[in-house]
Amino acid sequence: MQLKTSFFLVLLGLSLILAAQLKVKIKVDPKIEKLKAETKQLAEVHADFSPSCFSYYSPILSGITDQYEAEYGVCVSNYDNATAAINTQWQAQREAMQNSIYNSCNSLQSCNNANSSLTAFECIANTSAEDSKIFYGISSNATDAAAKIKDQYNVAESQQTICINNAETVYVTQTTSTYEELNSCLKNGYV
């Protein structure tokens, strides 16, 4: 009975170690959950095989988790790098627009320095008319740039989604296969 309990604790420890190692969120796969439950039952029934089976398969499962974590990290890093590159690509145009806005506002502000109300209003009327053309161009260019940036972000996000999906597929496939092998070991008593 004590041997059975100790192997159950080893199994529980393995689950906790794998869960603690996995710092990224992965979809729960029903087949893996079913295999884990089967592993728990088999470990209790075949306690005499448990030590050798777990000592062999635990590092494999841990390696699969480490691989998934690394691949997931690459996906996130690639996305971060892509969005940073997009921001850098558009930085000069953004600064040019900001300068145009600043210059237009400053030209209107200079109208406040007029000596008379008439001169001030004439300055404001003329400057505003000219600035309205500038602001229309800024608005048009900003709308166009925003649409292009949104497309670039969508591409980066799609690439990240595909990358994460591929990493998850490998993780689920390898984990499933390894749990099947572990359960076979627990049933049959050999690695």
Side-chain angles (χ1 to χ4, degrees):
M1 178 67 175
Q2 184 182 14
L3 186 61
K4 194 175 191 182
T5 304
S6 66
F7 291 119
F8 177 71
L9 291 175
V10 168
L11 177 62
L12 180 62
L14 171 66
S15 296
L16 292 174
I17 289 169
L18 290 175
Q21 280 185 332
L22 195 57
K23 296 174 185 137
V24 295
K25 186 161 174 74
I26 187 167
K27 293 182 271 187
V28 176
D29 185 80
K31 186 170 183 178
I32 292 175
E33 293 303 311
K34 181 180 175 192
L35 287 168
K36 284 181 181 180
E38 184 181 333
T39 300
K40 179 181 172 185
Q41 291 172 346
L42 289 170
E44 290 174 1
V45 171
H46 302 284
D48 49 334
F49 302 142
S50 295
S52 62
C53 294
F54 281 111
S55 68
Y56 181 81
Y57 286 103
S58 292
I60 294 171
L61 289 168
S62 181
I64 293 168
T65 302
D66 291 345
Q67 178 186 349
Y68 172 70
E69 232 177 43
E71 289 174 0
Y72 188 95
V74 167
C75 298
V76 171
S77 178
N78 287 346
Y79 175 78
D80 290 344
N81 292 338
T83 56
I86 292 166
N87 289 330
T88 299
Q89 174 190 350
W90 290 94
Q91 186 62 35
Q93 187 171 349
R94 178 180 171 185
E95 289 172 2
M97 283 184 193
Q98 288 171 337
N99 287 336
S100 293
I101 293 166
Y102 178 78
N103 292 337
S104 292
C105 291
N106 274 347
S107 63
L108 273 173
Q109 188 71 19
S110 69
C111 293
N112 290 335
N113 298 329
N115 293 334
S116 71
S117 294
L118 175 62
T119 307
F121 286 127
E122 286 175 341
C123 177
I124 292 169
N126 292 332
T127 304
S128 295
E130 189 58 37
D131 284 350
S132 69
K133 295 175 194 169
I134 292 170
F135 279 110
Y136 181 79
I138 290 171
S139 174
S140 176
N141 291 338
T143 300
D144 184 52
K148 289 176 182 175
I149 291 169
K150 191 180 285 186
D151 284 344
Q152 289 176 315
Y153 280 148
N154 285 339
V155 168
E157 191 173 318
S158 293
Q159 290 171 339
Q160 181 187 35
T161 300
I162 291 167
C163 182
I164 289 172
N165 185 55
N166 289 340
E168 285 178 350
T169 299
V170 169
Y171 172 81
V172 168
T173 302
Q174 290 181 347
T175 301
T176 300
S177 173
T178 304
Y179 268 108
E180 287 171 346
E181 292 172 16
L182 171 58
N183 290 349
S184 176
C185 178
L186 290 170
K187 288 176 191 173
N188 301 315
Y190 56 88
V191 178

